[in-house]
Amino acid sequence: MVVLQLSHPTGSFNIRSKLTCFHRKFSSKVSSNVPSTSFISSSHQPDYPASLSPPASQSVAAIVFGDASHSRLYPLTKRRSDGAIPIAGNYRLIDGVVSNCINSNITKIYALTQKNSTSLNSHISRAYSGACLANEGFVEMIAAYQSADDKDWFQGTADAVRRCLWVLEEYPVAEFLLLPGHHLYKMDYQKLIEAHRDNNADVTLAVSSSMRCRDPSYVNVRVGKENQVVEFIKCQGKPPIHSKLEESIMVIDDAHDTFPSMGIYVINRVVMIKLLREYFPKSNHFRSDVIPGAIALGLKVQAYKFDGYWEDMRSIESFYHANMESTKMTDMPYNSFYDRDFPLYTLPRHLPPSIITDAAIKNSIIGDGCILSNCRIKNSILGMRTRVGDKAIIEDSVVMGSDIYQSVTDDREGTATSIPIGIGEGSHIRKAIVDKNSRIGKNVMIVNKDNVEEGGSEAKGYIITAGIVVILKGAVIEDGTVL
């Protein structure tokens, strides 16, 4: 059995122990003639009788989308889906969303994957399949497929769910919780579900009340009285139009009653089946087609205002800053990395402790199994198995690490270069993202010396976006190169 563990200053945290602790904590409040499963078990919510509010673990199934419809994290998504991108040394982006589900006592989780899904499928299957999630809990992958009736791959989120309804209908849940798998935030979904039920809503969508529209392609919602969604609107600007319904969404400035949609939806089971099979059988997207269509049909669509930290990773720049913020000891926007009551789960790799020899490290995160020799690390993140040579300097950067160990003299892989995986001696890296398995030679300067905002060449193993140098996965940067 795979046991989920929390990488955490106080040690590993077994998910079975956590769920058992919740059960014991709340079972004492239940009378002896009422089963403990008749109540929601959560450290953030009161207990509710099953007749009024069935447990989320039994009545809600989460659907997590492994990749974005239009990813903006390229080239990090060149060989992997959005949800599989490493973050904060030891984790993947999808771990945050799956952990939110587990911490919210939602234990029926489907992960829908399609593009470049090998890495994500491997991570999910090893990290969560077979884990003890209680109440017949599971994390099940559903990969994109072709059939005699559907010869194309998934065309969007709505199309993916529609084509997987034959699997999703297996359990008699009351609601489906739809979640993007590459966003970073901490949310107790039970509060969202409680608001959905209290309002007798057909659809409830989460909106961010703590931020304003930052990007022309954000879809905002106008919220009327009692948090009812009146219409979808666009931030000022004209992003590409993907459907006729989007053409009718008007463009206006921010107003006090408009909020960015987080792409998170709670939809009643019967309503979702009717929307996908009867009302909009050809629509491909929830955001642009199905949800605005539900409003037009007169269904009760409610907004749930979320005032916490939320980063939807809309660009390399936002991904970079999310990583940099994780190195802060105080005022950390996203604190689940070190929150024992609402922990972040991932795959335990059973790597040895990092070896640090004569290194100066400040305000940085060092992943498991790193080898650091006489180097200087400042305001940076080093992923698992990162090797840094003598006199190397890494500043304000994200180094994702390696999938394997390789010594300086190891050439067993039969590569065309003698440069080993890792950061070579005397190299200097500043404000960069170095993807996995990259080979940085000796005395290399990755500092964006010309202060370029956009540039670079994939053929040369790097690009520059928003002034951030991104070294491609598996790239080879020869000795003495200056970027």
Side-chain angles (χ1 to χ4, degrees):
M1 184 186 75
V2 176
V3 177
L4 305 186
Q5 292 179 322
L6 165 67
S7 295
H8 177 296
T10 57
S12 297
F13 192 25
N14 186 306
I15 186 172
R16 171 178 282 178
S17 299
K18 179 180 186 294
L19 295 174
T20 302
C21 176
F22 278 161
H23 174 75
R24 290 174 179 171
K25 177 179 177 181
F26 288 95
S27 60
S28 61
K29 299 181 181 180
V30 186
S31 62
S32 60
N33 60 340
V34 180
S36 60
T37 53
S38 298
F39 290 76
I40 297 175
S41 296
S42 168
S43 59
H44 302 281
Q45 290 291 115
D47 297 335
Y48 295 96
S51 59
L52 299 180
S53 182
S57 61
Q58 297 180 14
S59 62
V60 179
I63 302 173
V64 181
F65 300 105
D67 45 47
S69 298
H70 306 284
S71 176
R72 298 186 179 184
L73 295 178
Y74 190 88
L76 300 180
T77 54
K78 186 175 182 178
R79 293 289 181 265
R80 62 168 76 91
S81 59
D82 297 70
I85 297 175
I87 187 170
N90 282 359
Y91 304 96
R92 304 289 186 111
L93 281 176
I94 201 167
D95 289 330
V97 179
V98 175
S99 296
N100 282 343
C101 291
I102 294 171
N103 292 322
S104 301
N105 206 22
I106 295 174
T107 58
K108 293 180 177 63
I109 306 168
Y110 296 93
L112 271 59
T113 64
Q114 176 162 295
K115 296 175 288 187
N116 293 327
S117 60
T118 300
S119 178
L120 183 62
N121 290 345
S122 174
H123 177 76
I124 292 174
S125 63
R126 291 188 297 155
Y128 303 107
S129 296
C132 180
L133 298 178
N135 294 322
E136 298 183 349
F138 57 83
V139 181
E140 181 176 331
M141 293 175 298
I142 305 178
Y145 66 89
Q146 295 174 306
S147 66
D149 296 327
D150 296 292
K151 299 186 183 302
D152 293 325
W153 299 110
F154 296 159
Q155 301 301 302
T157 52
D159 180 61
V161 172
R162 181 189 302 108
R163 291 173 57 181
C164 293
L165 281 175
W166 63 277
V167 178
L168 302 175
E169 291 178 300
E170 180 179 357
Y171 288 90
V173 297
E175 298 102 354
F176 287 104
L177 173 63
L178 277 57
L179 304 165
H182 62 287
H183 294 186
L184 189 66
Y185 61 97
K186 181 174 72 174
M187 180 188 292
D188 183 354
Y189 296 138
Q190 288 201 27
K191 295 179 180 179
L192 168 62
I193 294 164
E194 178 187 351
H196 174 80
R197 292 170 176 173
D198 288 347
N199 290 316
N200 293 317
D202 297 305
V203 179
T204 298
L205 56 95
V207 300
S208 175
S209 62
S210 62
M211 61 167 288
R212 288 293 183 180
C213 183
R214 300 174 298 181
D215 188 286
S217 65
Y218 267 112
V219 170
N220 279 15
V221 295
R222 180 179 291 279
V223 179
K225 293 181 179 180
E226 299 180 350
N227 291 327
Q228 187 160 357
V229 177
V230 178
E231 60 185 343
F232 272 41
I233 58 177
K234 285 282 189 183
C235 293
Q236 199 167 30
K238 293 185 177 181
I241 299 299
H242 299 292
S243 73
K244 293 182 179 180
L245 275 172
E246 280 190 283
E247 294 176 1
S248 66
I249 300 175
M250 63 183 190
V251 178
I252 69 170
D253 293 327
D254 284 337
H256 68 279
D257 59 349
T258 63
F259 305 92
S261 170
M262 298 174 66
I264 297 172
Y265 312 107
V266 180
I267 307 178
N268 291 346
R269 173 194 179 95
V270 174
V271 171
M272 188 171 80
I273 293 172
K274 283 185 179 250
L275 286 173
L276 295 179
R277 285 180 173 165
E278 297 181 20
Y279 296 117
F280 307 104
K282 300 297 183 182
S283 295
N284 292 329
H285 302 283
F286 280 100
R287 186 189 75 169
S288 58
D289 301 330
V290 176
I291 303 303
I295 297 172
L297 288 172
L299 298 183
K300 189 171 185 180
V301 180
Q302 293 289 123
Y304 173 80
K305 297 176 183 177
F306 177 69
D307 61 1
Y309 170 83
W310 170 58
E311 178 54 69
D312 63 347
M313 304 298 174
R314 299 179 75 80
S315 65
I316 291 291
E317 185 178 17
S318 64
F319 173 78
Y320 171 81
H321 286 302
N323 274 278
M324 291 297 100
E325 288 168 346
S326 70
T327 65
K328 298 177 181 178
M329 291 301 296
T330 58
D331 300 325
M332 184 186 296
Y334 179 79
N335 62 2
S336 273
F337 297 123
Y338 306 99
D339 189 343
R340 192 171 184 84
D341 294 326
F342 209 94
L344 187 62
Y345 299 101
T346 191
L347 172 69
R349 276 86 176 183
H350 308 296
L351 291 172
S354 293
I355 299 175
I356 302 173
T357 306
D358 296 328
I361 303 172
K362 182 178 180 181
N363 299 336
S364 297
I365 293 175
I366 309 299
D368 299 335
C370 295
I371 303 174
L372 314 180
S373 302
N374 190 25
C375 56
R376 195 170 80 218
I377 313 295
K378 181 180 178 182
N379 300 330
S380 296
I381 294 172
L382 272 58
M384 294 174 290
R385 303 184 189 89
T386 296
R387 181 192 60 81
V388 182
D390 290 349
K391 298 181 181 180
I393 299 173
I394 302 176
E395 303 174 292
D396 305 316
S397 295
V398 180
V399 181
M400 293 186 177
S402 170
D403 291 321
I404 61 171
Y405 280 115
Q406 183 186 22
S407 67
V408 175
T409 59
D410 187 0
D411 193 29
R412 288 175 298 176
E413 283 74 32
T415 58
T417 178
S418 60
I419 300 174
I421 295 174
I423 313 300
E425 298 176 3
S427 292
H428 187 181
I429 300 175
R430 183 176 66 233
K431 197 177 181 182
I433 299 173
V434 181
D435 207 340
K436 275 191 168 186
N437 302 332
S438 296
R439 301 165 184 263
I440 311 300
K442 298 178 181 179
N443 301 312
V444 171
M445 302 286 288
I446 303 176
V447 295
N448 192 9
K449 65 180 180 67
D450 296 325
N451 295 318
V452 175
E453 281 296 307
E454 304 290 334
S457 168
E458 286 191 48
K460 296 179 180 179
Y462 79 98
I463 68 164
I464 301 174
T465 178
I468 302 164
V469 182
V470 182
I471 305 298
L472 275 62
K473 184 176 182 179
V476 178
I477 309 298
E478 299 291 342
D479 296 349
T481 300
V482 179
L483 301 179

